[in-house]
Amino acid sequence: MKEKIQEILKEALQALMHEGAIPAHDIGSLGLSVPANREFGDFASNAAMVLASRAKRKPRDIAAVIKERLETLTDVFERIDIAGPGFINLVVSPGMWVSVLGEVLQAGSAFGTSSFGAGLKVQVEFVSANPTGPLHVGHGRGAAVGDTLARILKAAGYDVQSEYYINDVGNQMNMLGLSVLSRYRELLGAETSFPENGYKGSYIGDIAGALKDARGSELMDMDEAEAVAACRHYAANAILEGIREDLELFNVRFHNWFSESALYEDDKVEEMLAYLKSIDLSYEENDALWFRTTRFGDEKDRVLRKQDGSLTYFAPDIAYHKDKLDRGFGKVIDIWGADHHGYVPRMRAAIEGLGAPKEAFHALLIQLVSLVRNGQPVQMSTRSGEFVTLREIIDEVGKDVCRYFFMMRKSDAQLVFDLDLAKKKSDENPVYYIQYAHARICSILRNAREQGLSPDAPDCDLSRLGSGDDLEMIKSLASYPDVVVSCAADLEPHRIAYYVLELATAFHRFYNRNRVISDDRGLTLARLTLISAVKQVLANALDLMGISAPESM
């Protein structure tokens, strides 16, 4: 609806500018908003106030000219008011609102999709946990946010690819191999000392046991380096397979899995270093190799290769992002933990150094999840082994609840995941409340069919819905496409969680105040159409979050 009104306003302004009635101006900068107080109308425009200074006229005089043109141009508006210093408040006619129902039902699962993204190729990289242990609840939040964002971007018309970056190179992988080798030797009765910073979770023992079953005592005859490599390879594959299974259970499927080791195997890190040197963006100083990130706003230049000849984490990360750009992505979105906050400026600098605009890169930071069970916080630490896995939480509260709870807050805000609330089958639990709205509508529609009532009936008169609670319900539905676009434009997927809860709340309120099936056949048929549209939008919004829309509960 907002898009339609913007087009009408744009048409009126262009005509007035062409006639010289108002000064020429960039139409795109003339805003249209939804007033916080609906008493001021359905939409409000500041066009007159923006144009007044250029025209050297009072904003209210400009507003009067615009109002007159809108009234002659269209009958979409029931009322147009000029308020305050020159705001133009627009009240859309009931008939225009009611027409939204036909759009919802005709589009079905496609309602809310748009061409906003214009097919721009976008990559969303998320989770990307080191294959050193099972996914924990923190990873779960990143998975829910990333997958929901990818779904939203696709709905908004972007060409989206989701990717998991497998960090299978570095000290943490060697420590994984040492940890498994130590447990493997213990199982075979050998005296061994567990590495001080090793991974202590019970899963390490499980992997060691599986390795012993697969290869017997074969590794006992290997030298240390060879045995560690064998354990590292076996453990990484086993853990990664578990990660894939957990994500599949969580309704998260990646288009691509990219291995860090492939960067080295394909010489992409060295190629990147050579490229930076060729364009004078790297230099040597104090026996180290540096990237001139200060040229692009970073607070200091960053080391690529240390004095001992080893690469920093930054070097392969640049090579990886260069590979993303080389694959044709116009925008790359990385979803990182909040502890990577300081890493954002240098990566943005790297993106610019690689020749892309800084807007081509965006990092979405995910704050920590505090897990609470029986009112007590649960501590999590991968190396101590005292952590709760994502799989355990899914098994305890279900995938749908898990995904919604991870989306209940903006990603950069800390989240308290209350397991007691998550398991409640009551209105206190937002997931139950939302899904029950969908199931309740399905029940009403089944009851109506049993009585021979259908919203497709030829005598269904939707004009009966042009006021009161019916109209407010329709307005809630009409805002859905705008919510999807705003989520995509601002990269704030949590808004869809807010919206679907507000829509469910609006429906429950509507149901408690109004009878859907009544002795008034005309009104009954119209309201069956209305709730059919509510059902569709609830399902569409839940699908963007990877959550099911049950037909019974």
Side-chain angles (χ1 to χ4, degrees), residues 147-157 484 487-488 492-493 496 544:
D147 187 58
T148 300
L149 178 60
R151 290 166 183 255
I152 288 170
L153 290 170
K154 181 180 179 181
V484 176
C487 287
E492 294 195 339
I496 205 72
L544 286 185

Side-chain angles (χ1 to χ4, degrees), residues 60 132 134 175 191 219 268 280-281 307 357-359 372 427 436 491:
R60 289 184 67 91
T132 55
M175 187 56 65
E191 290 188 11
L219 275 65
K268 291 190 174 183
D280 193 33
L281 284 181
Q307 292 175 329
K358 62 182 179 182
E359 294 79 15
V372 176
D427 293 352
Y436 182 58
L491 302 182

Side-chain angles (χ1 to χ4, degrees), residues 433-450:
Y433 189 65
I434 294 164
Q435 291 182 319
Y436 182 58
H438 186 272
R440 172 176 265 176
I441 293 172
C442 290
S443 176
I444 297 169
L445 293 173
R446 285 194 297 269
N447 186 22
R449 284 193 295 271
E450 290 171 2

Side-chain angles (χ1 to χ4, degrees), residues 45 63 105 111 132 145 147 172 222 241 295 305 310 313 359 421 428 453 455 473 516 521:
S45 173
L105 297 176
F111 182 73
T132 55
V145 171
D147 187 58
Q172 80 279 358
M222 296 180 181
E241 183 58 32
R295 284 191 182 180
R305 181 179 281 123
S310 64
Y313 288 117
E359 294 79 15
L421 175 61
E428 295 177 73
L453 298 169
M473 191 77 253
V516 176
R521 175 180 168 82

Side-chain angles (χ1 to χ4, degrees), residues 54-331:
R54 180 172 292 191
K56 296 182 179 179
R57 295 167 62 186
K58 293 179 180 179
R60 289 184 67 91
D61 293 342
I62 298 288
V65 173
I66 297 172
K67 174 185 176 183
E68 182 179 0
R69 176 51 61 97
L70 286 172
E71 289 173 337
T72 58
L73 181 67
T74 178
D75 59 357
V76 162
F77 303 109
E78 184 178 51
R79 194 175 74 249
I80 302 174
D81 298 325
I82 300 172
F87 284 106
I88 302 171
N89 292 337
L90 307 167
V91 178
V92 178
S93 67
M96 186 71 175
W97 284 117
V98 169
S99 69
V100 170
L101 297 180
E103 295 176 17
V104 174
L105 297 176
Q106 182 176 1
S109 61
F111 182 73
T113 61
S114 71
S115 59
F116 174 79
L120 179 68
K121 195 174 179 183
V122 176
Q123 188 214 60
V124 185
E125 181 224 323
F126 56 101
V127 184
S128 298
N130 297 340
T132 55
L135 297 179
H136 55 62
V137 292
H139 297 134
R141 188 180 191 189
V145 171
D147 187 58
T148 300
L149 178 60
R151 290 166 183 255
I152 288 170
L153 290 170
K154 181 180 179 181
Y158 291 89
D159 180 4
V160 184
Q161 184 183 92
S162 59
E163 185 158 288
Y164 188 113
Y165 181 57
I166 307 168
N167 293 271
D168 55 359
V169 176
N171 292 332
Q172 80 279 358
M173 297 307 297
N174 289 328
M175 187 56 65
L176 173 66
L178 281 169
S179 302
V180 172
L181 181 59
S182 177
R183 296 300 186 216
Y184 170 85
R185 287 172 172 169
E186 286 177 2
L187 290 173
L188 289 168
E191 290 188 11
T192 183
S193 59
F194 195 81
E196 182 180 353
N197 294 319
Y199 295 95
K200 301 180 178 66
S202 60
Y203 66 95
I204 296 294
D206 295 338
I207 293 171
L211 178 59
K212 183 177 86 64
D213 292 341
R215 300 186 64 172
S217 61
E218 179 184 347
L219 275 65
M220 300 295 285
D221 298 326
M222 296 180 181
D223 63 39
E224 183 83 1
E226 187 181 6
V228 169
C231 289
R232 181 178 64 236
H233 178 75
Y234 186 90
N237 286 340
I239 290 171
L240 192 59
E241 183 58 32
I243 288 172
R244 290 176 187 266
E245 291 174 359
D246 288 353
L247 290 170
E248 178 73 23
L249 183 65
F250 201 43
N251 205 12
V252 174
R253 300 169 188 87
F254 287 92
H255 293 103
N256 192 41
W257 294 71
F258 190 103
S259 174
E260 181 182 356
S261 59
L263 294 172
Y264 295 93
E265 293 166 3
D266 298 337
D267 294 323
K268 291 190 174 183
V269 178
E270 291 303 321
E271 287 175 7
M272 177 275 299
L273 293 175
Y275 175 74
L276 293 181
K277 182 179 180 180
S278 73
I279 58 175
D280 193 33
L281 284 181
S282 66
Y283 63 94
E284 293 196 25
E285 185 175 286
N286 298 328
D287 296 323
L289 182 66
W290 300 74
F291 185 173
R292 301 183 193 276
T293 51
T294 50
R295 284 191 182 180
F296 307 100
D298 197 8
E299 60 182 1
K300 62 181 180 180
D301 289 344
R302 304 293 177 173
V303 177
L304 296 169
R305 181 179 281 123
K306 294 180 281 188
Q307 292 175 329
D308 63 5
S310 64
L311 294 171
T312 62
Y313 288 117
F314 192 34
D317 281 352
I318 299 171
Y320 175 44
H321 284 76
K322 184 177 186 302
D323 183 83
K324 294 184 182 191
L325 297 174
D326 290 344
R327 281 185 269 160
F329 292 109
K331 191 177 190 68

